[in-house]
Amino acid sequence: HLTAGKDMQFHLEFTLPDALTRWKFQALAHDKLMRFGYEIQEFTAQKELMVDPNEPRFFRAGDIFVFSAAVVNLTNQPQKVHATLEWFNPYTNEVLDNVFGMMENQSVELKAKGSQTVDWKLVIPKEGMELVAYRIKVSSDAFSDMEEKVIPVLSNRTQVIESVPVTVEGKGEYVYELPKLLQQGSATQQNEKLLFFRRTVVIMKKK
């Protein structure tokens, strides 16, 4: 939204994208006589209180991980800030209470223009989870900020596929043994499924 005052001062209002970063503004104005003016300004989009999580690209099932985040105070006054970390199912938004351990709330005293790190120790479940989301909030008496993101959970197991060719000649009943599928080569081995694929081969003979 652009408005012009009687003193030829222009007032510009616009909505920034959801990104806290440095921006460059460029403007070109001209009149009917093609007299023009050009302006370049740089500014930084930021909040008075911000949280910057240091999350991993993914979790590995069974890992023990320390989740940390930086809390930044950009005001000229000290602030007492409360930080909370919440985990939830991104498909159903169900809050996962104590699934990763005790997520106790934390409080920090921030100096003016200061920052401090908060962290939580996580124990990633060994199974039953492929995707998880976190929501971290920081708040003071006057300001607040929140970050939310989805993190995949990778299995620490390796899928091994064994195949056995089976040949059937003519009609009848055949019995085949699959010894490798019955052998437990590892204490953590789990058999998932048995699949059978049929391939029909027709041989044509000339008389």
mmCIF file of all heavy atoms in Angstrom, residues 110-150:
data_model
loop_
_atom_site.group_PDB
_atom_site.id
_atom_site.type_symbol
_atom_site.label_atom_id
_atom_site.label_comp_id
_atom_site.label_asym_id
_atom_site.label_seq_id
_atom_site.Cartn_x
_atom_site.Cartn_y
_atom_site.Cartn_z
ATOM 1 N N LEU A 110 18.002 -13.593 29.832
ATOM 2 C CA LEU A 110 18.763 -13.068 28.703
ATOM 3 C C LEU A 110 19.112 -11.609 28.929
ATOM 4 O O LEU A 110 18.249 -10.799 29.282
ATOM 5 C CB LEU A 110 17.963 -13.210 27.403
ATOM 6 C CG LEU A 110 17.645 -14.625 26.926
ATOM 7 C CD1 LEU A 110 16.871 -14.575 25.618
ATOM 8 C CD2 LEU A 110 18.909 -15.438 26.764
ATOM 9 N N LYS A 111 20.373 -11.289 28.691
ATOM 10 C CA LYS A 111 20.791 -9.894 28.760
ATOM 11 C C LYS A 111 20.314 -9.152 27.514
ATOM 12 O O LYS A 111 19.886 -9.759 26.535
ATOM 13 C CB LYS A 111 22.312 -9.813 28.869
ATOM 14 C CG LYS A 111 22.888 -10.464 30.118
ATOM 15 C CD LYS A 111 24.405 -10.334 30.128
ATOM 16 C CE LYS A 111 25.002 -10.984 31.372
ATOM 17 N NZ LYS A 111 26.484 -10.876 31.380
ATOM 18 N N ALA A 112 20.386 -7.831 27.538
ATOM 19 C CA ALA A 112 20.032 -7.035 26.368
ATOM 20 C C ALA A 112 20.964 -7.395 25.216
ATOM 21 O O ALA A 112 22.177 -7.489 25.387
ATOM 22 C CB ALA A 112 20.132 -5.546 26.703
ATOM 23 N N LYS A 113 20.385 -7.645 24.050
ATOM 24 C CA LYS A 113 21.126 -8.055 22.847
ATOM 25 C C LYS A 113 21.908 -9.347 23.084
ATOM 26 O O LYS A 113 22.935 -9.587 22.441
ATOM 27 C CB LYS A 113 22.091 -6.951 22.406
ATOM 28 C CG LYS A 113 21.448 -5.617 22.104
ATOM 29 C CD LYS A 113 20.536 -5.678 20.894
ATOM 30 C CE LYS A 113 19.986 -4.306 20.561
ATOM 31 N NZ LYS A 113 19.074 -4.339 19.374
ATOM 32 N N GLY A 114 21.425 -10.183 23.983
ATOM 33 C CA GLY A 114 22.137 -11.413 24.313
ATOM 34 C C GLY A 114 21.412 -12.653 23.820
ATOM 35 O O GLY A 114 20.266 -12.600 23.353
ATOM 36 N N SER A 115 22.084 -13.772 23.944
ATOM 37 C CA SER A 115 21.511 -15.053 23.534
ATOM 38 C C SER A 115 21.988 -16.149 24.478
ATOM 39 O O SER A 115 23.003 -15.989 25.166
ATOM 40 C CB SER A 115 21.903 -15.397 22.091
ATOM 41 O OG SER A 115 23.296 -15.593 21.989
ATOM 42 N N GLN A 116 21.247 -17.258 24.475
ATOM 43 C CA GLN A 116 21.584 -18.388 25.326
ATOM 44 C C GLN A 116 21.003 -19.655 24.707
ATOM 45 O O GLN A 116 20.020 -19.605 23.964
ATOM 46 C CB GLN A 116 21.040 -18.185 26.740
ATOM 47 C CG GLN A 116 21.619 -19.141 27.773
ATOM 48 C CD GLN A 116 21.284 -18.716 29.194
ATOM 49 O OE1 GLN A 116 21.165 -17.529 29.477
ATOM 50 N NE2 GLN A 116 21.130 -19.677 30.089
ATOM 51 N N THR A 117 21.631 -20.790 25.007
ATOM 52 C CA THR A 117 21.209 -22.066 24.438
ATOM 53 C C THR A 117 20.411 -22.873 25.459
ATOM 54 O O THR A 117 20.771 -22.931 26.636
ATOM 55 C CB THR A 117 22.425 -22.882 23.975
ATOM 56 O OG1 THR A 117 23.150 -22.139 22.991
ATOM 57 C CG2 THR A 117 21.991 -24.203 23.358
ATOM 58 N N VAL A 118 19.328 -23.476 24.975
ATOM 59 C CA VAL A 118 18.554 -24.421 25.778
ATOM 60 C C VAL A 118 18.620 -25.769 25.077
ATOM 61 O O VAL A 118 18.728 -25.844 23.843
ATOM 62 C CB VAL A 118 17.090 -23.969 25.952
ATOM 63 C CG1 VAL A 118 17.005 -22.709 26.791
ATOM 64 C CG2 VAL A 118 16.437 -23.730 24.593
ATOM 65 N N ASP A 119 18.574 -26.861 25.845
ATOM 66 C CA ASP A 119 18.652 -28.185 25.218
ATOM 67 C C ASP A 119 17.862 -29.207 26.017
ATOM 68 O O ASP A 119 17.602 -29.031 27.213
ATOM 69 C CB ASP A 119 20.112 -28.627 25.056
ATOM 70 C CG ASP A 119 20.885 -28.615 26.362
ATOM 71 O OD1 ASP A 119 20.513 -29.382 27.281
ATOM 72 O OD2 ASP A 119 21.846 -27.828 26.483
ATOM 73 N N TRP A 120 17.493 -30.277 25.307
ATOM 74 C CA TRP A 120 16.763 -31.400 25.891
ATOM 75 C C TRP A 120 17.394 -32.693 25.395
ATOM 76 O O TRP A 120 17.786 -32.800 24.226
ATOM 77 C CB TRP A 120 15.290 -31.385 25.475
ATOM 78 C CG TRP A 120 14.489 -30.253 26.010
ATOM 79 C CD1 TRP A 120 13.703 -30.260 27.140
ATOM 80 C CD2 TRP A 120 14.341 -28.939 25.451
ATOM 81 N NE1 TRP A 120 13.094 -29.041 27.307
ATOM 82 C CE2 TRP A 120 13.464 -28.207 26.286
ATOM 83 C CE3 TRP A 120 14.868 -28.307 24.323
ATOM 84 C CZ2 TRP A 120 13.111 -26.896 26.031
ATOM 85 C CZ3 TRP A 120 14.518 -26.995 24.066
ATOM 86 C CH2 TRP A 120 13.645 -26.301 24.912
ATOM 87 N N LYS A 121 17.465 -33.674 26.258
ATOM 88 C CA LYS A 121 17.992 -34.988 25.889
ATOM 89 C C LYS A 121 16.853 -35.869 25.405
ATOM 90 O O LYS A 121 15.845 -36.036 26.093
ATOM 91 C CB LYS A 121 18.695 -35.644 27.082
ATOM 92 C CG LYS A 121 19.351 -36.975 26.753
ATOM 93 C CD LYS A 121 20.073 -37.552 27.964
ATOM 94 C CE LYS A 121 20.720 -38.896 27.640
ATOM 95 N NZ LYS A 121 21.431 -39.463 28.819
ATOM 96 N N LEU A 122 17.007 -36.444 24.205
ATOM 97 C CA LEU A 122 15.967 -37.255 23.592
ATOM 98 C C LEU A 122 16.423 -38.702 23.476
ATOM 99 O O LEU A 122 17.593 -38.977 23.199
ATOM 100 C CB LEU A 122 15.629 -36.745 22.186
ATOM 101 C CG LEU A 122 15.339 -35.256 22.018
ATOM 102 C CD1 LEU A 122 15.079 -34.950 20.559
ATOM 103 C CD2 LEU A 122 14.159 -34.836 22.868
ATOM 104 N N VAL A 123 15.493 -39.617 23.667
ATOM 105 C CA VAL A 123 15.720 -41.038 23.399
ATOM 106 C C VAL A 123 14.740 -41.437 22.303
ATOM 107 O O VAL A 123 13.527 -41.484 22.531
ATOM 108 C CB VAL A 123 15.508 -41.897 24.664
ATOM 109 C CG1 VAL A 123 15.752 -43.364 24.336
ATOM 110 C CG2 VAL A 123 16.445 -41.443 25.777
ATOM 111 N N ILE A 124 15.251 -41.703 21.105
ATOM 112 C CA ILE A 124 14.400 -41.991 19.962
ATOM 113 C C ILE A 124 13.893 -43.437 20.073
ATOM 114 O O ILE A 124 14.678 -44.360 20.294
ATOM 115 C CB ILE A 124 15.174 -41.819 18.640
ATOM 116 C CG1 ILE A 124 15.924 -40.472 18.642
ATOM 117 C CG2 ILE A 124 14.233 -41.905 17.454
ATOM 118 C CD1 ILE A 124 15.044 -39.276 18.856
ATOM 119 N N PRO A 125 12.577 -43.671 19.946
ATOM 120 C CA PRO A 125 12.043 -45.043 20.010
ATOM 121 C C PRO A 125 12.677 -45.940 18.952
ATOM 122 O O PRO A 125 13.009 -45.491 17.849
ATOM 123 C CB PRO A 125 10.546 -44.850 19.759
ATOM 124 C CG PRO A 125 10.272 -43.434 20.154
ATOM 125 C CD PRO A 125 11.502 -42.668 19.816
ATOM 126 N N LYS A 126 12.829 -47.215 19.287
ATOM 127 C CA LYS A 126 13.486 -48.146 18.376
ATOM 128 C C LYS A 126 12.589 -48.565 17.218
ATOM 129 O O LYS A 126 13.088 -49.005 16.175
ATOM 130 C CB LYS A 126 13.955 -49.385 19.145
ATOM 131 C CG LYS A 126 15.066 -49.089 20.156
ATOM 132 C CD LYS A 126 15.541 -50.366 20.821
ATOM 133 C CE LYS A 126 16.678 -50.059 21.791
ATOM 134 N NZ LYS A 126 17.189 -51.288 22.455
ATOM 135 N N GLU A 127 11.292 -48.454 17.373
ATOM 136 C CA GLU A 127 10.395 -48.879 16.299
ATOM 137 C C GLU A 127 9.052 -48.179 16.453
ATOM 138 O O GLU A 127 8.768 -47.538 17.457
ATOM 139 C CB GLU A 127 10.194 -50.393 16.327
ATOM 140 C CG GLU A 127 9.672 -50.935 17.626
ATOM 141 C CD GLU A 127 9.601 -52.444 17.640
ATOM 142 O OE1 GLU A 127 10.218 -53.083 16.776
ATOM 143 O OE2 GLU A 127 8.909 -52.984 18.527
ATOM 144 N N GLY A 128 8.243 -48.307 15.400
ATOM 145 C CA GLY A 128 6.889 -47.775 15.437
ATOM 146 C C GLY A 128 6.764 -46.307 15.083
ATOM 147 O O GLY A 128 5.707 -45.718 15.302
ATOM 148 N N MET A 129 7.820 -45.702 14.511
ATOM 149 C CA MET A 129 7.750 -44.280 14.196
ATOM 150 C C MET A 129 8.577 -43.996 12.948
ATOM 151 O O MET A 129 9.749 -44.366 12.858
ATOM 152 C CB MET A 129 8.262 -43.461 15.380
ATOM 153 C CG MET A 129 8.058 -41.967 15.247
ATOM 154 S SD MET A 129 8.475 -41.127 16.796
ATOM 155 C CE MET A 129 7.236 -41.812 17.890
ATOM 156 N N GLU A 130 7.956 -43.373 11.956
ATOM 157 C CA GLU A 130 8.643 -43.036 10.718
ATOM 158 C C GLU A 130 8.774 -41.534 10.512
ATOM 159 O O GLU A 130 9.662 -41.081 9.788
ATOM 160 C CB GLU A 130 7.903 -43.634 9.522
ATOM 161 C CG GLU A 130 7.860 -45.157 9.518
ATOM 162 C CD GLU A 130 7.121 -45.709 8.328
ATOM 163 O OE1 GLU A 130 6.514 -44.902 7.585
ATOM 164 O OE2 GLU A 130 7.140 -46.936 8.133
ATOM 165 N N LEU A 131 7.887 -40.771 11.135
ATOM 166 C CA LEU A 131 7.887 -39.326 10.960
ATOM 167 C C LEU A 131 7.401 -38.680 12.244
ATOM 168 O O LEU A 131 6.429 -39.141 12.846
ATOM 169 C CB LEU A 131 6.976 -38.934 9.788
ATOM 170 C CG LEU A 131 7.244 -37.607 9.085
ATOM 171 C CD1 LEU A 131 8.611 -37.618 8.424
ATOM 172 C CD2 LEU A 131 6.171 -37.319 8.046
ATOM 173 N N VAL A 132 8.074 -37.610 12.653
ATOM 174 C CA VAL A 132 7.709 -36.921 13.882
ATOM 175 C C VAL A 132 7.899 -35.427 13.664
ATOM 176 O O VAL A 132 8.691 -35.007 12.810
ATOM 177 C CB VAL A 132 8.564 -37.425 15.071
ATOM 178 C CG1 VAL A 132 10.015 -37.003 14.912
ATOM 179 C CG2 VAL A 132 8.004 -36.956 16.393
ATOM 180 N N ALA A 133 7.155 -34.628 14.395
ATOM 181 C CA ALA A 133 7.260 -33.179 14.274
ATOM 182 C C ALA A 133 7.466 -32.574 15.654
ATOM 183 O O ALA A 133 6.995 -33.117 16.657
ATOM 184 C CB ALA A 133 6.009 -32.592 13.627
ATOM 185 N N TYR A 134 8.191 -31.471 15.693
ATOM 186 C CA TYR A 134 8.412 -30.772 16.953
ATOM 187 C C TYR A 134 7.845 -29.358 16.877
ATOM 188 O O TYR A 134 7.685 -28.783 15.797
ATOM 189 C CB TYR A 134 9.907 -30.724 17.307
ATOM 190 C CG TYR A 134 10.719 -29.749 16.485
ATOM 191 C CD1 TYR A 134 10.822 -28.398 16.844
ATOM 192 C CD2 TYR A 134 11.398 -30.173 15.355
ATOM 193 C CE1 TYR A 134 11.565 -27.512 16.098
ATOM 194 C CE2 TYR A 134 12.143 -29.288 14.610
ATOM 195 C CZ TYR A 134 12.223 -27.962 14.980
ATOM 196 O OH TYR A 134 12.957 -27.077 14.235
ATOM 197 N N ARG A 135 7.559 -28.821 18.033
ATOM 198 C CA ARG A 135 7.081 -27.439 18.154
ATOM 199 C C ARG A 135 7.786 -26.828 19.363
ATOM 200 O O ARG A 135 7.576 -27.266 20.489
ATOM 201 C CB ARG A 135 5.563 -27.406 18.330
ATOM 202 C CG ARG A 135 4.977 -25.996 18.394
ATOM 203 C CD ARG A 135 3.477 -26.061 18.625
ATOM 204 N NE ARG A 135 2.776 -26.702 17.531
ATOM 205 C CZ ARG A 135 2.089 -27.823 17.648
ATOM 206 N NH1 ARG A 135 2.021 -28.446 18.824
ATOM 207 N NH2 ARG A 135 1.462 -28.351 16.603
ATOM 208 N N ILE A 136 8.641 -25.851 19.125
ATOM 209 C CA ILE A 136 9.369 -25.214 20.210
ATOM 210 C C ILE A 136 8.881 -23.771 20.343
ATOM 211 O O ILE A 136 8.738 -23.054 19.352
ATOM 212 C CB ILE A 136 10.905 -25.267 19.963
ATOM 213 C CG1 ILE A 136 11.651 -24.689 21.162
ATOM 214 C CG2 ILE A 136 11.304 -24.615 18.667
ATOM 215 C CD1 ILE A 136 13.149 -24.904 21.117
ATOM 216 N N LYS A 137 8.580 -23.374 21.578
ATOM 217 C CA LYS A 137 8.046 -22.046 21.853
ATOM 218 C C LYS A 137 8.920 -21.346 22.888
ATOM 219 O O LYS A 137 9.386 -21.977 23.842
ATOM 220 C CB LYS A 137 6.610 -22.130 22.383
ATOM 221 C CG LYS A 137 5.627 -22.845 21.492
ATOM 222 C CD LYS A 137 4.261 -22.937 22.149
ATOM 223 C CE LYS A 137 3.273 -23.716 21.318
ATOM 224 N NZ LYS A 137 1.951 -23.842 22.000
ATOM 225 N N VAL A 138 9.133 -20.067 22.683
ATOM 226 C CA VAL A 138 9.790 -19.228 23.684
ATOM 227 C C VAL A 138 8.918 -17.996 23.898
ATOM 228 O O VAL A 138 8.323 -17.460 22.950
ATOM 229 C CB VAL A 138 11.215 -18.808 23.244
ATOM 230 C CG1 VAL A 138 12.132 -20.010 23.199
ATOM 231 C CG2 VAL A 138 11.200 -18.110 21.894
ATOM 232 N N SER A 139 8.828 -17.543 25.127
ATOM 233 C CA SER A 139 7.971 -16.396 25.430
ATOM 234 C C SER A 139 8.510 -15.653 26.637
ATOM 235 O O SER A 139 9.105 -16.246 27.544
ATOM 236 C CB SER A 139 6.528 -16.843 25.688
ATOM 237 O OG SER A 139 6.470 -17.729 26.790
ATOM 238 N N SER A 140 8.309 -14.337 26.608
ATOM 239 C CA SER A 140 8.595 -13.471 27.746
ATOM 240 C C SER A 140 7.322 -12.710 28.070
ATOM 241 O O SER A 140 6.259 -13.003 27.525
ATOM 242 C CB SER A 140 9.747 -12.517 27.420
ATOM 243 O OG SER A 140 9.378 -11.629 26.371
ATOM 244 N N ASP A 141 7.412 -11.724 28.917
ATOM 245 C CA ASP A 141 6.213 -10.951 29.264
ATOM 246 C C ASP A 141 5.682 -10.151 28.080
ATOM 247 O O ASP A 141 4.487 -9.875 28.006
ATOM 248 C CB ASP A 141 6.532 -9.997 30.420
ATOM 249 C CG ASP A 141 6.801 -10.752 31.714
ATOM 250 O OD1 ASP A 141 6.342 -11.899 31.827
ATOM 251 O OD2 ASP A 141 7.486 -10.188 32.599
ATOM 252 N N ALA A 142 6.570 -9.794 27.135
ATOM 253 C CA ALA A 142 6.149 -8.914 26.045
ATOM 254 C C ALA A 142 6.225 -9.563 24.666
ATOM 255 O O ALA A 142 5.503 -9.151 23.758
ATOM 256 C CB ALA A 142 7.002 -7.637 26.045
ATOM 257 N N PHE A 143 7.080 -10.580 24.483
ATOM 258 C CA PHE A 143 7.312 -11.116 23.145
ATOM 259 C C PHE A 143 7.278 -12.641 23.175
ATOM 260 O O PHE A 143 7.392 -13.263 24.231
ATOM 261 C CB PHE A 143 8.666 -10.636 22.596
ATOM 262 C CG PHE A 143 8.861 -9.148 22.667
ATOM 263 C CD1 PHE A 143 9.691 -8.590 23.623
ATOM 264 C CD2 PHE A 143 8.210 -8.315 21.779
ATOM 265 C CE1 PHE A 143 9.878 -7.222 23.695
ATOM 266 C CE2 PHE A 143 8.379 -6.947 21.839
ATOM 267 C CZ PHE A 143 9.217 -6.396 22.801
ATOM 268 N N SER A 144 7.143 -13.219 21.978
ATOM 269 C CA SER A 144 7.138 -14.673 21.852
ATOM 270 C C SER A 144 7.574 -15.060 20.446
ATOM 271 O O SER A 144 7.538 -14.254 19.512
ATOM 272 C CB SER A 144 5.758 -15.253 22.157
ATOM 273 O OG SER A 144 4.816 -14.814 21.188
ATOM 274 N N ASP A 145 7.961 -16.314 20.300
ATOM 275 C CA ASP A 145 8.334 -16.857 18.993
ATOM 276 C C ASP A 145 8.122 -18.362 19.033
ATOM 277 O O ASP A 145 8.104 -18.972 20.109
ATOM 278 C CB ASP A 145 9.795 -16.523 18.656
ATOM 279 C CG ASP A 145 10.137 -16.832 17.206
ATOM 280 O OD1 ASP A 145 9.203 -16.895 16.382
ATOM 281 O OD2 ASP A 145 11.334 -17.021 16.896
ATOM 282 N N MET A 146 7.958 -18.971 17.844
ATOM 283 C CA MET A 146 7.716 -20.406 17.764
ATOM 284 C C MET A 146 8.270 -20.933 16.457
ATOM 285 O O MET A 146 8.247 -20.251 15.424
ATOM 286 C CB MET A 146 6.223 -20.717 17.856
ATOM 287 C CG MET A 146 5.895 -22.200 17.841
ATOM 288 S SD MET A 146 4.117 -22.551 17.832
ATOM 289 C CE MET A 146 3.695 -22.053 16.154
ATOM 290 N N GLU A 147 8.795 -22.142 16.489
ATOM 291 C CA GLU A 147 9.239 -22.847 15.290
ATOM 292 C C GLU A 147 8.623 -24.241 15.295
ATOM 293 O O GLU A 147 8.468 -24.867 16.349
ATOM 294 C CB GLU A 147 10.763 -22.959 15.246
ATOM 295 C CG GLU A 147 11.481 -21.658 14.912
ATOM 296 C CD GLU A 147 11.356 -21.261 13.465
ATOM 297 O OE1 GLU A 147 11.058 -22.153 12.625
ATOM 298 O OE2 GLU A 147 11.547 -20.073 13.153
ATOM 299 N N GLU A 148 8.312 -24.726 14.097
ATOM 300 C CA GLU A 148 7.685 -26.039 13.947
ATOM 301 C C GLU A 148 8.242 -26.703 12.699
ATOM 302 O O GLU A 148 8.361 -26.067 11.650
ATOM 303 C CB GLU A 148 6.175 -25.870 13.845
ATOM 304 C CG GLU A 148 5.382 -27.156 13.828
ATOM 305 C CD GLU A 148 3.890 -26.887 13.830
ATOM 306 O OE1 GLU A 148 3.387 -26.290 14.806
ATOM 307 O OE2 GLU A 148 3.228 -27.274 12.843
ATOM 308 N N LYS A 149 8.591 -28.002 12.812
ATOM 309 C CA LYS A 149 9.191 -28.686 11.666
ATOM 310 C C LYS A 149 8.991 -30.190 11.796
ATOM 311 O O LYS A 149 8.888 -30.721 12.901
ATOM 312 C CB LYS A 149 10.687 -28.365 11.568
ATOM 313 C CG LYS A 149 11.332 -28.779 10.262
ATOM 314 C CD LYS A 149 12.755 -28.272 10.157
ATOM 315 C CE LYS A 149 13.371 -28.627 8.825
ATOM 316 N NZ LYS A 149 14.767 -28.122 8.715
ATOM 317 N N VAL A 150 8.976 -30.868 10.646
ATOM 318 C CA VAL A 150 8.828 -32.322 10.589
ATOM 319 C C VAL A 150 10.199 -32.951 10.353
ATOM 320 O O VAL A 150 10.979 -32.466 9.529
ATOM 321 C CB VAL A 150 7.849 -32.738 9.468
ATOM 322 C CG1 VAL A 150 7.775 -34.248 9.340
ATOM 323 C CG2 VAL A 150 6.465 -32.160 9.742
#
